[in-house]
Amino acid sequence: MNKYCLAALSALAILAGCRTQEQEIQDSSSRKTVRFHAETADTRTAFAESVNGVYETLWTGNDREILLSLNYGKAEESAVKVSADGRTASFEAAFDAAAASAPYTFYAVSPASAARAISPSRKAWSVSIAAEQTPSALSVDEAAQLLVAKSAAGAQLPDEVALHFSHLTAYGRISLRNLELGDAKVHKVELSFSTPVVGEWYWGEDGTLTSNGDSHTITLHTDASDDLWFACAPVDVSGQTLKLVVFTDHGNLMKEITFPEGRSFASGKVARFSVNMAGVEFVKGSIYVPLTDVSLLKEGGKYLILNSDQTYALGPQSTSGNTPYRERVRVTVEDGVIVDPGDAEVLELRRGVSEGTWSFHSASGYLAAGKTGNALRTIAGRSDYSSWVVSISGKEAKMQAQKGESTYLRYNASSPRFSCYSSASSQKGIILYRMVDSETGAVEDDPLTAQSEYGCYMKGAERKYVKGVDQILRSYPDGKLEFVILNAQAKEQLVISGFDPALRKDDLATVSVRYRKGFNMLAEETYALKVVKEDGPTVWLGDGSGQGFILKK
């Protein structure tokens, strides 16, 4: 919390419905300000390549904010002052000394936007490695580069602390050899690994990363056709596969490779490798690729359900006696892609009736578990029977309905059919394929992205952040971002809440706004918006016609 927040909150506490955030306001007598100094040159971006191939990394002007904690206590945000040569940085923060005891250890994460929460019981930070990245020609996306530091433990609470930062993330640099584009223009590149590489992780006391909702797929927003930079978790990729898709305005170019034994990504190091694209041709029209991560489930998207051998897909409705099921139809998977689904049922993804569930809509209705027996029905509306929890493990998907005698959608090879069974181990597994449109180029930006200041741009509730006058507060009740702009002098409060920081570009979001000035509530509405743009920690949510919000995660 910056130095202006307490005054702003005090002035706004008289407003009905204003949340004073008592948990963040401590008795000033127990607060101790500590100054930090980062001296090492082994700390930040730029990735300028020297003659001998060593990458020097420096602090840059984009390292504006950092998060710090004392003994895994409450995270404190601090502005970063970077030296002129980029080799050193300094910052300070106030900690609740009464809430900590010796030994005193400080932890830091940069950038602040990458840190999600602190788990004292785990002695770990929850951090996020961005799945959507925008690299430059010479470097990895800075918002995806995670640096961490841990101080030496002390018997006394110090006034000054020296921190040595190290890279938590690893880096990759891909050369695309023999790529024949002609006059096609690249608008993004997608990398799907068979092992998790990005997403949510725990940074633990021992310095390692463990899964907290990881992801397999990295999307690079770039127009480059070679020398592609990305950030990822430090993982062993020996024998793992990488599916690379180059999206262009003339179609997709796809190639799958297998990493040889002994290959890995290491923290702070750049792994260089090449992919030979010789002979790869454009695939036009709508194609289907395996769903590697639930974060890629999109409302309105089109999906196929295949058996684990990837030889049959879910087909039309049928019955055996009085038991409904879905027939199988043969599909052809070539180079990991389905070009023509044939008679397979193309399912449209819609929200389920409860949080975290999905419904699959076909031409005749919704897929639903049976009320009795091993049945897979098609029903007219959404219900608990047609609301599925979807998870991915390796290549296989698990789909479980919220209600029914048998709730797991599986493939029966003995009596060939897709139906529901009593456990996830009954019968054979399934694999989900998602449709991507290879003919569409980059989607034009929402008019909202012409704006640059944080705030609300909904009609009747327009309000943008005024630097030097307003203060911004961010908190995460129930894991969702609450973004508050305060102006104490005008007794004004704009609260934008409900945005999930895990959402990425093109995801749908339900966001609420409360805009109060004095005792007058100027707006209190809920909006269904789309994430139209991300730029590091800054995110634009729009309705497609120039209205929406600009937030900082």
Side-chain angles (χ1 to χ4, degrees):
M1 181 179 293
N2 65 41
K3 62 184 178 180
Y4 302 107
C5 291
L6 291 177
L9 282 168
S10 177
L12 285 166
I14 61 171
L15 301 180
C18 174
R19 192 164 57 86
T20 58
Q21 301 187 12
E22 290 90 351
Q23 70 276 15
E24 297 188 13
I25 302 173
Q26 305 290 341
D27 183 348
S28 60
S29 64
S30 70
R31 303 284 286 177
K32 180 178 176 62
T33 298
V34 181
R35 294 180 295 277
F36 298 87
H37 186 69
E39 299 177 340
T40 176
D42 179 25
T43 36
R44 203 51 174 177
T45 53
F47 282 109
E49 185 174 7
S50 67
V51 175
N52 62 7
V54 176
Y55 293 86
E56 182 182 50
T57 58
L58 307 172
W59 291 87
T60 77
N62 289 327
D63 301 307
R64 296 187 182 94
E65 293 172 332
I66 197 167
L67 279 185
L68 303 123
S69 73
L70 172 59
N71 292 359
Y72 291 107
K74 175 183 171 292
E76 303 289 349
E77 187 170 340
S78 174
V80 179
K81 296 179 181 178
V82 179
S83 65
D85 62 4
R87 295 183 179 277
T88 63
S90 60
F91 32 88
E92 64 178 40
F95 299 89
D96 181 14
S101 59
Y104 298 102
T105 305
F106 293 92
Y107 303 85
V109 175
S110 175
S113 60
R116 293 287 180 256
I118 297 175
S119 174
S121 61
R122 287 177 174 268
K123 292 189 176 181
W125 287 67
S126 175
V127 297
S128 177
I129 304 173
E132 301 266 348
Q133 301 179 20
T134 306
S136 70
L138 298 174
S139 179
V140 181
D141 185 342
E142 290 191 26
Q145 300 174 46
L146 275 65
L147 278 83
V148 295
K150 174 186 175 182
S151 75
Q156 303 294 327
L157 192 58
D159 295 319
E160 296 191 12
V161 175
L163 289 176
H164 178 90
F165 279 81
S166 61
H167 287 263
L168 191 61
T169 39
Y171 308 104
R173 188 177 178 185
I174 307 175
S175 172
L176 300 181
R177 295 188 292 111
N178 303 313
L179 179 64
E180 297 181 4
L181 286 173
D183 60 352
K185 295 180 179 179
V186 176
H187 63 86
K188 70 176 179 180
V189 176
E190 190 174 271
L191 311 173
S192 293
F193 294 80
S194 55
T195 189
V197 290
V198 288
E200 307 293 320
W201 304 77
Y202 283 116
W203 169 47
E205 177 74 15
D206 60 356
T208 59
L209 285 173
T210 55
S211 172
N212 183 31
D214 49 44
S215 177
H216 294 250
T217 301
I218 302 172
T219 301
L220 301 177
H221 297 284
T222 178
D223 58 4
S225 58
D226 196 13
D227 209 20
L228 305 171
W229 296 76
F230 64 90
C232 65
V235 293
D236 186 349
V237 291
S238 297
Q240 302 288 330
T241 58
L242 165 65
K243 181 170 292 181
L244 181 146
V245 184
V246 180
F247 292 82
T248 81
D249 57 352
H250 286 191
N252 293 345
L253 294 157
M254 290 168 289
K255 184 66 179 285
E256 185 172 299
I257 65 169
T258 300
F259 289 101
E261 293 299 320
R263 295 298 174 90
S264 64
F265 293 101
S267 295
K269 295 184 179 181
V270 181
R272 300 188 66 167
F273 60 98
S274 63
V275 177
N276 187 357
M277 303 294 286
V280 178
E281 298 181 352
F282 288 107
V283 178
K284 296 182 180 292
S286 297
I287 59 173
Y288 295 83
V289 299
L291 179 73
T292 57
D293 196 272
V294 292
S295 65
L296 298 173
L297 289 169
K298 306 293 183 185
E299 188 170 12
K302 302 296 193 298
Y303 296 82
L304 302 174
I305 299 176
L306 273 68
N307 67 333
S308 57
D309 292 336
Q310 301 177 80
T311 51
Y312 297 102
L314 182 142
Q317 188 73 58
S318 187
T319 58
S320 176
N322 294 321
T323 303
Y325 67 91
R326 285 300 187 112
E327 295 180 6
R328 67 177 189 178
V329 296
R330 185 171 288 279
V331 290
T332 300
V333 179
E334 187 173 352
D335 295 326
V337 171
I338 298 174
V339 176
D340 180 9
D343 295 326
E345 187 82 80
V346 177
L347 303 161
E348 180 180 320
L349 194 66
R350 300 182 182 180
R351 296 287 178 181
V353 296
S354 55
E355 185 73 20
T357 65
W358 298 96
S359 291
F360 292 82
H361 186 262
S362 68
S364 53
Y366 292 91
L367 287 185
K371 294 183 178 180
T372 60
N374 298 325
L376 178 59
R377 303 177 293 157
T378 302
I379 62 176
R382 294 182 305 161
S383 71
D384 286 336
Y385 292 98
S386 63
S387 295
W388 306 81
V389 173
V390 181
S391 61
I392 304 292
S393 178
K395 291 184 178 181
E396 286 197 5
K398 184 170 73 174
M399 289 176 55
Q400 183 180 15
Q402 295 301 283
K403 194 173 182 180
E405 181 175 331
S406 299
T407 57
Y408 291 92
L409 199 159
R410 307 287 284 172
Y411 175 71
N412 187 331
S414 300
S415 301
R417 68 188 62 190
F418 290 88
S419 194
C420 287
Y421 299 90
S422 59
S423 75
S425 60
S426 298
Q427 307 304 328
K428 301 292 185 179
I430 59 171
I431 294 178
L432 286 171
Y433 271 65
R434 63 187 177 99
M435 187 183 80
V436 295
D437 190 346
S438 63
E439 290 185 321
T440 58
V443 178
E444 291 188 11
D445 284 339
D446 188 293
L448 175 71
T449 58
Q451 306 284 353
S452 60
E453 298 289 349
Y454 311 136
C456 175
Y457 296 88
M458 307 302 299
K459 288 181 179 178
E462 293 88 348
R463 175 67 162 83
K464 66 180 180 180
Y465 169 74
V466 181
K467 188 175 182 179
V469 175
D470 297 327
Q471 284 76 51
I472 297 178
L473 302 178
R474 284 179 296 276
S475 60
Y476 293 86
D478 300 323
K480 301 293 181 67
L481 171 63
E482 182 164 274
F483 182 92
V484 186
I485 295 178
L486 301 171
N487 185 317
Q489 185 175 357
K491 297 180 180 179
E492 187 179 17
Q493 178 192 45
L494 172 66
V495 182
I496 303 169
S497 60
F499 175 68
D500 188 338
L503 294 175
R504 296 291 181 258
K505 187 176 182 298
D506 295 329
D507 286 351
L508 301 180
T510 300
V511 183
S512 299
V513 60
R514 302 194 310 277
Y515 182 25
R516 186 186 296 274
K517 193 167 186 179
F519 292 100
N520 297 318
M521 183 68 77
L522 303 182
E524 190 170 13
E525 301 289 344
T526 299
Y527 302 95
L529 304 175
K530 178 186 284 188
V531 181
V532 296
K533 181 181 176 182
E534 286 188 285
D535 184 7
T538 307
V539 59
W540 284 254
L541 296 103
D543 66 353
S545 63
Q547 297 187 70
F549 310 114
I550 302 176
L551 309 175
K552 183 173 182 181
K553 293 189 280 187

